[in-house]
Amino acid sequence: NAGVTQTPKFRVLKTGQSMTLLCAQDMNHEYMYWYRQDPGMGLRLIHYSVGEGTTAKGEVPDGYNVSRLKKQNFLLGLESAAPSQTSVYFCASSYLQGHQPQHFGDGTRLSIL
Amino acid sequence: EDKVVQSPLSLVVHEGDTVTLNCSYEVTNFRSLLWYKQEKKAPTFLFMLTSSGIEKKSGRLSSILDKKELFSILNITATQTGDSAIYLCAVDRGSTLGRLYFGRGTQLTVWP
């Protein structure tokens, strides 16, 4: 069981570069989420999606874009990376029906120099 | 503004000790409270609490919710070094499509 898979696991970028983080889930979950985790800050929601083709902003969306072209994939993009975006990024997914917990990927550690 | 506050932020104990982690919340349209354990990587689900006074239990871990006083506790008895982790509390507001609001977490360190 793969569950929620994030790629890449680590990445170092220079300020101004762009990149895309990929999240893939094989549990047929409708909902998907991107969080960032900074020391002492807990998990903060960046963007989320309630189904294929739909996205919405979370608490800290500035500087990020997302797309959900396929139900199983949720992409997080940084168009022009800034040092303030240095963080660990987690993807999560959950079912629409019923009251189910979110399942998390192992995270992507991103450093912006 | 919605708040989820965890205490203490860090805790160091010895194996065999019992610990109590706290989570208080102020949110509108409360639906449930969740506890996660985070070791090196992904947070892993522990408990989901929706009703007051009903204890959830899994081995040495247990948790209970008080919806009147707006808090939850997570108890770990006979701690082991493998319990060392960050414990995250999160609240689901039913009106916001499954979004979770996380506290800052409690860093638990268990010494042998």
Short mmCIF file of all heavy atoms in Angstrom, two decimals, chain A residues 31 33 35 37 40 42-43 45 48 50 57-59 90 98-102 104-106, chain B residues 31-32 34 36 38 41-43 45 48 50 88 92 96-104:
data_model
loop_
_atom_site.label_atom_id
_atom_site.label_comp_id
_atom_site.label_asym_id
_atom_site.label_seq_id
_atom_site.Cartn_x
_atom_site.Cartn_y
_atom_site.Cartn_z
N TYR A 31 -10.72 14.41 -1.28
CA TYR A 31 -10.10 15.61 -0.74
C TYR A 31 -8.59 15.47 -0.71
O TYR A 31 -8.07 14.42 -0.32
CB TYR A 31 -10.56 15.89 0.70
CG TYR A 31 -11.99 16.30 0.87
CD1 TYR A 31 -12.51 16.45 2.15
CD2 TYR A 31 -12.81 16.57 -0.19
CE1 TYR A 31 -13.82 16.84 2.35
CE2 TYR A 31 -14.13 16.97 -0.01
CZ TYR A 31 -14.63 17.10 1.27
OH TYR A 31 -15.92 17.49 1.46
N TYR A 33 -4.87 17.96 0.27
CA TYR A 33 -4.44 19.17 0.97
C TYR A 33 -2.93 19.32 0.87
O TYR A 33 -2.20 18.34 0.84
CB TYR A 33 -4.77 19.07 2.47
CG TYR A 33 -6.19 18.66 2.79
CD1 TYR A 33 -6.54 17.31 2.82
CD2 TYR A 33 -7.16 19.59 3.08
CE1 TYR A 33 -7.84 16.91 3.12
CE2 TYR A 33 -8.46 19.21 3.38
CZ TYR A 33 -8.79 17.87 3.40
OH TYR A 33 -10.07 17.50 3.70
N TYR A 35 0.08 21.28 3.11
CA TYR A 35 0.44 22.00 4.31
C TYR A 35 1.93 22.33 4.27
O TYR A 35 2.71 21.65 3.62
CB TYR A 35 0.22 21.14 5.56
CG TYR A 35 -1.20 20.77 5.87
CD1 TYR A 35 -1.77 19.60 5.37
CD2 TYR A 35 -1.98 21.55 6.72
CE1 TYR A 35 -3.07 19.24 5.68
CE2 TYR A 35 -3.29 21.19 7.05
CZ TYR A 35 -3.81 20.04 6.53
OH TYR A 35 -5.10 19.68 6.85
N GLN A 37 5.06 22.99 7.22
CA GLN A 37 5.38 22.88 8.65
C GLN A 37 6.69 23.58 8.92
O GLN A 37 7.72 23.19 8.38
CB GLN A 37 5.45 21.41 9.08
CG GLN A 37 5.62 21.24 10.59
CD GLN A 37 5.59 19.79 11.03
OE1 GLN A 37 6.07 18.91 10.34
NE2 GLN A 37 5.00 19.53 12.19
N GLY A 40 8.05 25.11 15.41
CA GLY A 40 7.24 25.82 16.38
C GLY A 40 5.92 26.36 15.85
O GLY A 40 5.22 27.08 16.56
N GLY A 42 3.51 24.35 13.97
CA GLY A 42 2.50 23.36 13.60
C GLY A 42 2.35 23.26 12.10
O GLY A 42 3.23 23.66 11.33
N LEU A 43 1.24 22.73 11.66
CA LEU A 43 0.94 22.57 10.23
C LEU A 43 -0.02 23.66 9.80
O LEU A 43 -1.06 23.86 10.42
CB LEU A 43 0.31 21.20 9.97
CG LEU A 43 1.25 20.01 10.04
CD1 LEU A 43 0.48 18.73 10.27
CD2 LEU A 43 2.04 19.90 8.74
N LEU A 45 -2.27 25.21 6.51
CA LEU A 45 -2.84 24.82 5.23
C LEU A 45 -2.54 25.85 4.15
O LEU A 45 -2.80 27.04 4.32
CB LEU A 45 -4.36 24.65 5.38
CG LEU A 45 -5.11 24.14 4.16
CD1 LEU A 45 -4.70 22.71 3.83
CD2 LEU A 45 -6.62 24.21 4.41
N TYR A 48 -6.13 23.56 -0.85
CA TYR A 48 -6.75 22.26 -0.78
C TYR A 48 -7.68 22.06 -1.98
O TYR A 48 -7.96 23.01 -2.73
CB TYR A 48 -7.49 22.05 0.54
CG TYR A 48 -8.66 22.96 0.78
CD1 TYR A 48 -9.97 22.52 0.61
CD2 TYR A 48 -8.48 24.28 1.21
CE1 TYR A 48 -11.05 23.35 0.86
CE2 TYR A 48 -9.55 25.11 1.45
CZ TYR A 48 -10.83 24.65 1.28
OH TYR A 48 -11.90 25.47 1.51
N VAL A 50 -11.29 19.77 -3.21
CA VAL A 50 -12.38 18.88 -2.82
C VAL A 50 -12.79 17.95 -3.95
O VAL A 50 -13.77 17.22 -3.83
CB VAL A 50 -13.60 19.67 -2.29
CG1 VAL A 50 -13.20 20.48 -1.08
CG2 VAL A 50 -14.21 20.54 -3.37
N LYS A 57 -8.12 28.20 -1.57
CA LYS A 57 -7.03 28.72 -0.75
C LYS A 57 -7.21 28.31 0.70
O LYS A 57 -8.32 28.26 1.22
CB LYS A 57 -6.99 30.24 -0.85
CG LYS A 57 -6.63 30.76 -2.22
CD LYS A 57 -6.61 32.29 -2.23
CE LYS A 57 -6.25 32.79 -3.62
NZ LYS A 57 -6.23 34.28 -3.66
N GLY A 58 -6.07 28.08 1.35
CA GLY A 58 -6.06 27.82 2.78
C GLY A 58 -5.62 29.05 3.55
O GLY A 58 -5.92 30.18 3.18
N GLU A 59 -4.87 28.81 4.64
CA GLU A 59 -4.43 29.91 5.51
C GLU A 59 -3.30 30.73 4.92
O GLU A 59 -3.20 31.94 5.14
CB GLU A 59 -3.93 29.34 6.84
CG GLU A 59 -4.92 28.58 7.67
CD GLU A 59 -4.20 27.92 8.84
OE1 GLU A 59 -3.72 28.64 9.74
OE2 GLU A 59 -4.09 26.67 8.84
N PHE A 90 3.88 19.03 3.46
CA PHE A 90 3.16 17.78 3.58
C PHE A 90 1.89 17.82 2.74
O PHE A 90 1.16 18.81 2.73
CB PHE A 90 2.77 17.50 5.03
CG PHE A 90 3.92 17.08 5.90
CD1 PHE A 90 4.57 18.00 6.70
CD2 PHE A 90 4.34 15.76 5.91
CE1 PHE A 90 5.63 17.62 7.51
CE2 PHE A 90 5.40 15.37 6.71
CZ PHE A 90 6.05 16.30 7.50
N GLY A 98 -18.57 10.24 4.85
CA GLY A 98 -18.26 9.84 6.22
C GLY A 98 -17.31 10.81 6.86
O GLY A 98 -16.97 11.85 6.31
N HIS A 99 -16.86 10.49 8.01
CA HIS A 99 -16.04 11.38 8.79
C HIS A 99 -14.70 10.68 9.01
O HIS A 99 -14.54 9.89 9.94
CB HIS A 99 -16.74 11.65 10.12
CG HIS A 99 -16.17 12.82 10.85
ND1 HIS A 99 -16.59 13.17 12.09
CD2 HIS A 99 -15.22 13.70 10.50
CE1 HIS A 99 -15.92 14.23 12.48
NE2 HIS A 99 -15.08 14.56 11.54
N GLN A 100 -13.78 10.90 8.11
CA GLN A 100 -12.54 10.14 8.09
C GLN A 100 -11.33 11.03 8.29
O GLN A 100 -11.33 12.18 7.86
CB GLN A 100 -12.41 9.41 6.74
CG GLN A 100 -13.52 8.44 6.45
CD GLN A 100 -13.52 7.28 7.42
OE1 GLN A 100 -12.47 6.83 7.86
NE2 GLN A 100 -14.70 6.79 7.76
N PRO A 101 -10.29 10.52 8.95
CA PRO A 101 -9.10 11.34 9.18
C PRO A 101 -8.30 11.52 7.91
O PRO A 101 -8.43 10.76 6.96
CB PRO A 101 -8.30 10.52 10.19
CG PRO A 101 -8.70 9.11 9.92
CD PRO A 101 -10.15 9.18 9.54
N GLN A 102 -7.48 12.53 7.90
CA GLN A 102 -6.56 12.75 6.79
C GLN A 102 -5.35 11.83 6.92
O GLN A 102 -4.87 11.56 8.01
CB GLN A 102 -6.10 14.21 6.76
CG GLN A 102 -7.22 15.17 6.44
CD GLN A 102 -6.77 16.61 6.40
OE1 GLN A 102 -5.59 16.92 6.32
NE2 GLN A 102 -7.72 17.52 6.46
N PHE A 104 -1.38 11.37 5.64
CA PHE A 104 -0.29 12.24 5.21
C PHE A 104 0.80 11.50 4.46
O PHE A 104 1.07 10.31 4.73
CB PHE A 104 0.34 12.92 6.44
CG PHE A 104 -0.50 14.01 7.01
CD1 PHE A 104 -1.54 13.72 7.88
CD2 PHE A 104 -0.26 15.34 6.67
CE1 PHE A 104 -2.32 14.74 8.41
CE2 PHE A 104 -1.04 16.36 7.20
CZ PHE A 104 -2.07 16.06 8.07
N GLY A 105 1.44 12.22 3.54
CA GLY A 105 2.68 11.73 2.93
C GLY A 105 3.86 12.01 3.84
O GLY A 105 3.72 12.63 4.89
N ASP A 106 5.05 11.56 3.40
CA ASP A 106 6.25 11.67 4.23
C ASP A 106 6.91 13.04 4.19
O ASP A 106 7.88 13.27 4.90
CB ASP A 106 7.28 10.60 3.81
CG ASP A 106 6.91 9.23 4.34
OD1 ASP A 106 6.08 9.15 5.27
OD2 ASP A 106 7.46 8.24 3.83
N ARG B 31 -16.56 20.18 14.81
CA ARG B 31 -17.06 18.89 14.35
C ARG B 31 -16.33 17.75 15.06
O ARG B 31 -16.95 16.81 15.53
CB ARG B 31 -16.89 18.76 12.84
CG ARG B 31 -17.51 17.52 12.25
CD ARG B 31 -17.23 17.44 10.78
NE ARG B 31 -17.99 16.36 10.16
CZ ARG B 31 -17.73 15.90 8.94
NH1 ARG B 31 -16.76 16.41 8.22
NH2 ARG B 31 -18.46 14.92 8.44
N SER B 32 -15.01 17.83 15.10
CA SER B 32 -14.24 16.78 15.76
C SER B 32 -12.85 17.28 16.10
O SER B 32 -12.40 18.31 15.57
CB SER B 32 -14.13 15.53 14.87
OG SER B 32 -13.44 15.84 13.68
N LEU B 34 -8.83 15.79 16.47
CA LEU B 34 -7.99 14.66 16.09
C LEU B 34 -6.61 14.80 16.74
O LEU B 34 -6.10 15.91 16.90
CB LEU B 34 -7.81 14.60 14.57
CG LEU B 34 -9.06 14.33 13.74
CD1 LEU B 34 -9.80 15.61 13.42
CD2 LEU B 34 -8.70 13.62 12.44
N TYR B 36 -2.64 13.35 16.27
CA TYR B 36 -1.67 12.69 15.39
C TYR B 36 -0.34 12.59 16.12
O TYR B 36 0.02 13.43 16.94
CB TYR B 36 -1.44 13.51 14.11
CG TYR B 36 -2.54 13.44 13.09
CD1 TYR B 36 -3.65 14.29 13.16
CD2 TYR B 36 -2.47 12.55 12.02
CE1 TYR B 36 -4.65 14.24 12.20
CE2 TYR B 36 -3.48 12.49 11.07
CZ TYR B 36 -4.56 13.35 11.16
OH TYR B 36 -5.55 13.30 10.22
N GLN B 38 3.75 12.41 15.23
CA GLN B 38 4.70 12.66 14.15
C GLN B 38 6.11 12.33 14.63
O GLN B 38 6.65 13.01 15.50
CB GLN B 38 4.63 14.10 13.67
CG GLN B 38 5.52 14.38 12.49
CD GLN B 38 5.43 15.81 12.00
OE1 GLN B 38 5.02 16.71 12.74
NE2 GLN B 38 5.78 16.03 10.76
N LYS B 41 8.80 11.57 10.00
CA LYS B 41 8.18 11.94 8.73
C LYS B 41 6.70 12.29 8.85
O LYS B 41 6.35 13.27 9.48
CB LYS B 41 8.39 10.79 7.73
CG LYS B 41 9.86 10.56 7.39
CD LYS B 41 10.03 9.46 6.37
CE LYS B 41 11.50 9.29 6.01
NZ LYS B 41 11.70 8.19 5.03
N ALA B 42 5.85 11.45 8.27
CA ALA B 42 4.43 11.80 8.17
C ALA B 42 3.73 11.72 9.51
O ALA B 42 3.95 10.78 10.28
CB ALA B 42 3.75 10.85 7.18
N PRO B 43 2.84 12.69 9.80
CA PRO B 43 1.96 12.52 10.96
C PRO B 43 1.09 11.29 10.76
O PRO B 43 0.55 11.07 9.67
CB PRO B 43 1.12 13.81 10.94
CG PRO B 43 1.91 14.79 10.15
CD PRO B 43 2.64 13.98 9.13
N PHE B 45 -2.22 9.06 12.23
CA PHE B 45 -3.46 9.26 12.95
C PHE B 45 -3.51 8.41 14.22
O PHE B 45 -3.16 7.23 14.20
CB PHE B 45 -4.62 8.91 12.03
CG PHE B 45 -5.95 8.88 12.69
CD1 PHE B 45 -6.57 10.06 13.08
CD2 PHE B 45 -6.60 7.68 12.93
CE1 PHE B 45 -7.81 10.03 13.69
CE2 PHE B 45 -7.83 7.64 13.53
CZ PHE B 45 -8.44 8.83 13.92
N MET B 48 -9.75 10.14 16.77
CA MET B 48 -10.71 11.17 16.40
C MET B 48 -11.78 11.20 17.49
O MET B 48 -12.35 10.15 17.81
CB MET B 48 -11.35 10.89 15.04
CG MET B 48 -12.39 11.93 14.66
SD MET B 48 -13.25 11.51 13.14
CE MET B 48 -11.97 11.81 11.93
N THR B 50 -15.36 13.01 18.85
CA THR B 50 -16.49 13.85 18.46
C THR B 50 -17.44 14.11 19.62
O THR B 50 -18.16 15.11 19.61
CB THR B 50 -17.28 13.20 17.31
OG1 THR B 50 -17.68 11.90 17.72
CG2 THR B 50 -16.43 13.09 16.06
N LEU B 88 0.46 16.08 17.67
CA LEU B 88 -0.28 17.18 17.08
C LEU B 88 -1.77 17.04 17.37
O LEU B 88 -2.33 15.95 17.24
CB LEU B 88 -0.08 17.21 15.57
CG LEU B 88 1.35 17.48 15.08
CD1 LEU B 88 1.48 17.12 13.61
CD2 LEU B 88 1.73 18.93 15.30
N ASP B 92 -11.40 19.88 13.39
CA ASP B 92 -12.16 19.91 12.15
C ASP B 92 -13.41 20.76 12.39
O ASP B 92 -14.23 20.42 13.24
CB ASP B 92 -12.52 18.48 11.76
CG ASP B 92 -13.36 18.40 10.50
OD1 ASP B 92 -13.72 19.45 9.92
OD2 ASP B 92 -13.67 17.27 10.09
N THR B 96 -16.07 23.70 6.98
CA THR B 96 -14.95 24.04 6.10
C THR B 96 -14.38 22.83 5.39
O THR B 96 -13.19 22.66 5.27
CB THR B 96 -13.84 24.76 6.88
OG1 THR B 96 -13.53 23.99 8.05
CG2 THR B 96 -14.26 26.15 7.28
N LEU B 97 -15.25 21.92 4.96
CA LEU B 97 -14.91 20.88 4.01
C LEU B 97 -13.67 20.07 4.39
O LEU B 97 -12.77 19.88 3.58
CB LEU B 97 -14.72 21.50 2.62
CG LEU B 97 -15.98 22.19 2.08
CD1 LEU B 97 -15.66 22.93 0.80
CD2 LEU B 97 -17.08 21.17 1.84
N GLY B 98 -13.63 19.62 5.62
CA GLY B 98 -12.56 18.72 6.02
C GLY B 98 -11.26 19.40 6.38
O GLY B 98 -10.30 18.73 6.74
N ARG B 99 -11.20 20.72 6.29
CA ARG B 99 -9.96 21.40 6.67
C ARG B 99 -9.69 21.21 8.15
O ARG B 99 -10.59 21.27 8.96
CB ARG B 99 -10.09 22.90 6.39
CG ARG B 99 -10.00 23.29 4.96
CD ARG B 99 -10.19 24.78 4.79
NE ARG B 99 -9.23 25.55 5.57
CZ ARG B 99 -9.14 26.88 5.49
NH1 ARG B 99 -9.94 27.54 4.70
NH2 ARG B 99 -8.28 27.53 6.22
N LEU B 100 -8.41 21.00 8.47
CA LEU B 100 -7.99 20.84 9.86
C LEU B 100 -7.21 22.07 10.30
O LEU B 100 -6.43 22.62 9.54
CB LEU B 100 -7.11 19.59 10.03
CG LEU B 100 -7.79 18.24 9.79
CD1 LEU B 100 -6.79 17.11 9.96
CD2 LEU B 100 -8.97 18.06 10.73
N TYR B 101 -7.44 22.46 11.55
CA TYR B 101 -6.70 23.56 12.16
C TYR B 101 -5.82 22.95 13.24
O TYR B 101 -6.32 22.37 14.21
CB TYR B 101 -7.66 24.59 12.76
CG TYR B 101 -8.46 25.29 11.71
CD1 TYR B 101 -9.58 24.70 11.15
CD2 TYR B 101 -8.07 26.54 11.24
CE1 TYR B 101 -10.31 25.33 10.17
CE2 TYR B 101 -8.80 27.19 10.25
CZ TYR B 101 -9.92 26.57 9.71
OH TYR B 101 -10.63 27.20 8.73
N PHE B 102 -4.51 23.07 13.04
CA PHE B 102 -3.54 22.39 13.90
C PHE B 102 -3.02 23.31 14.99
O PHE B 102 -2.83 24.51 14.79
CB PHE B 102 -2.35 21.91 13.08
CG PHE B 102 -2.61 20.64 12.32
CD1 PHE B 102 -3.20 20.69 11.06
CD2 PHE B 102 -2.28 19.41 12.85
CE1 PHE B 102 -3.44 19.53 10.36
CE2 PHE B 102 -2.52 18.24 12.15
CZ PHE B 102 -3.11 18.30 10.90
N GLY B 103 -2.75 22.71 16.16
CA GLY B 103 -1.96 23.38 17.17
C GLY B 103 -0.48 23.27 16.81
O GLY B 103 -0.11 22.66 15.80
N ARG B 104 0.36 23.85 17.65
CA ARG B 104 1.80 23.85 17.36
C ARG B 104 2.48 22.53 17.72
O ARG B 104 3.63 22.31 17.35
CB ARG B 104 2.48 24.99 18.12
CG ARG B 104 2.01 26.35 17.66
CD ARG B 104 2.82 27.45 18.28
NE ARG B 104 2.45 28.74 17.69
CZ ARG B 104 3.12 29.86 17.88
NH1 ARG B 104 4.19 29.88 18.63
NH2 ARG B 104 2.72 30.98 17.32
#
